[in-house]
Amino acid sequence: MQPIDAVPVRRPGRWIAALAVALLAAAVVRSVATNPRFQWDVVGEMLFSDRILHGLVLTLELTVIAMVAGVALGILVAVARMSPNKLLAGAGAFYVWLFRGTPVLVQLLFWNFIAALYPTIELGPIHADANTLITPFMASLLGLALNQAAYMAEIVRAGILSVPEGQAEAASALGLSRAQTLRRIVLPQAMRVIVPPTGNETISMLKTTSLVSVIASSDLLYSAQLIYSQSFQQIPLLIVVCIWYLAITTLLSLGQSMLERRYGRGVARARRETKPMRLPNLAVAR
């Protein structure tokens, strides 16, 4: 029996599609590079200006503080939702329903105008004028953190539910309390499920901070808006904003990948890296 001389099936469509994409990309790059209306000299000048960097720092502060507060509160809400106490479970479910069901922009505006409802805020020994206490920065933090906590509560709850019940039962047999079981047994194992969506939420939070510009909080976007309201150079300033957002999201994505590798150690996976889908490489005999 003679061996079959197999020849891979020729796929001219792939080469045509690749050539079309390459030509389109080259045309876009050439257009962007040669169009003087982009004003790349202004982009380079404003990229590291003091006002832009000040807005960038505020954006990073909002992202970090809102995420930390959102994660902490989200864990509490998730634990409350899973509590055998119906009142706690109902309160957690109501919180998630309320903050996930209303737009974050509406929540930001609500907190910014909270003085219309409570002119004076009294919390125990604290008596303060609402307009003085709830600054645009504080209203931004409240809106972002409380909204984020609702989403984190569901992420944490999904992570906890992914841990087999036998783990909690074994911890209970060893005499660990519910809090100790959650802290030492359940949450460390749930991190493998919690970390990836939390990384995505952090990147989303960074971009969501741009909404605080509507309440005059001096973030990156609002700083750029103040500049181009005087110079009328809208396009180059918006390009500066996009460059900074892209740079920071790239760094956050790298950090997320490292965390995923760390918490994924020891877990059997059929594929450790996501690969593009490939169709079977058929061959014909001749």
Side-chain angles (χ1 to χ4, degrees):
M1 182 176 179
Q2 295 181 351
I4 298 176
D5 186 10
V7 179
V9 175
R10 294 176 176 82
R11 302 181 184 276
R14 292 181 180 178
W15 292 101
I16 294 173
L19 179 61
V21 170
L23 291 176
L24 179 61
V28 171
V29 171
R30 181 179 180 277
S31 174
V32 171
T34 59
N35 189 341
R37 294 183 178 87
F38 279 96
Q39 297 178 279
W40 292 109
D41 56 332
V42 178
V43 173
E45 178 185 351
M46 299 304 301
L47 190 61
F48 296 99
S49 69
D50 292 339
R51 297 172 71 180
I52 291 295
L53 292 179
H54 179 270
L56 176 63
V57 170
L58 185 64
T59 293
L60 293 175
E61 289 178 350
L62 284 173
T63 302
V64 172
I65 299 174
M67 275 306 301
V68 171
V71 170
L73 183 57
I75 293 174
L76 295 178
V77 175
V79 173
R81 285 205 65 185
M82 301 180 68
S83 173
N85 186 304
K86 293 184 178 181
L87 181 60
L88 288 177
F94 176 79
Y95 182 95
V96 172
W97 169 79
L98 178 64
F99 285 94
R100 284 204 313 175
T102 53
V104 62
L105 180 57
V106 174
Q107 295 175 34
L108 288 169
L109 292 170
F110 182 87
W111 288 111
N112 191 52
F113 299 126
I114 193 65
L117 291 175
Y118 298 99
T120 303
I121 296 178
E122 299 181 3
L123 295 174
I126 300 176
H127 298 268
D129 179 68
N131 287 319
T132 303
L133 184 62
I134 307 298
T135 61
F137 180 80
M138 184 59 65
S140 301
L141 278 181
L142 287 171
L144 295 174
L146 293 176
N147 180 267
Q148 185 60 47
Y151 290 91
M152 285 306 306
E154 293 300 283
I155 292 173
V156 172
R157 189 168 71 94
I160 293 174
L161 292 176
S162 69
V163 179
E165 293 183 5
Q167 299 286 331
E169 293 173 357
S172 177
L174 292 174
L176 296 181
S177 66
R178 179 180 172 85
Q180 290 175 326
T181 301
L182 181 66
R183 186 175 69 254
R184 299 180 180 180
I185 305 297
V186 177
L187 282 180
Q189 296 183 68
M191 290 301 292
R192 180 176 56 86
V193 177
I194 295 173
V195 166
T198 301
N200 292 331
E201 288 295 320
T202 303
I203 294 173
S204 178
M205 173 63 74
L206 173 70
K207 296 179 291 183
T208 304
T209 57
S210 62
L211 294 177
V212 305
S213 61
V214 301
I215 59 175
S217 189
S218 302
D219 72 315
L220 178 59
L221 177 60
Y222 189 70
S223 298
Q225 289 175 327
L226 289 178
I227 296 173
Y228 70 61
S229 66
Q230 299 172 349
S231 64
F232 302 103
Q233 296 171 322
Q234 291 89 342
I235 296 301
L237 267 300
L238 291 176
I239 292 175
V240 168
V241 171
C242 290
I243 289 174
W244 277 118
Y245 277 123
L246 287 171
I248 300 171
T249 52
T250 301
L251 293 176
L252 290 175
S253 298
L254 293 175
Q256 177 186 355
S257 299
M258 290 188 292
L259 284 174
E260 287 181 13
R261 286 196 296 269
R262 176 182 177 183
Y263 286 104
R265 288 182 300 183
V267 179
R269 294 180 181 177
R271 293 182 179 180
R272 301 197 64 84
E273 296 181 359
T274 302
K275 297 182 179 180
M277 182 183 69
R278 295 181 181 274
L279 296 176
N281 191 14
L282 301 178
V284 295
R286 67 179 182 184

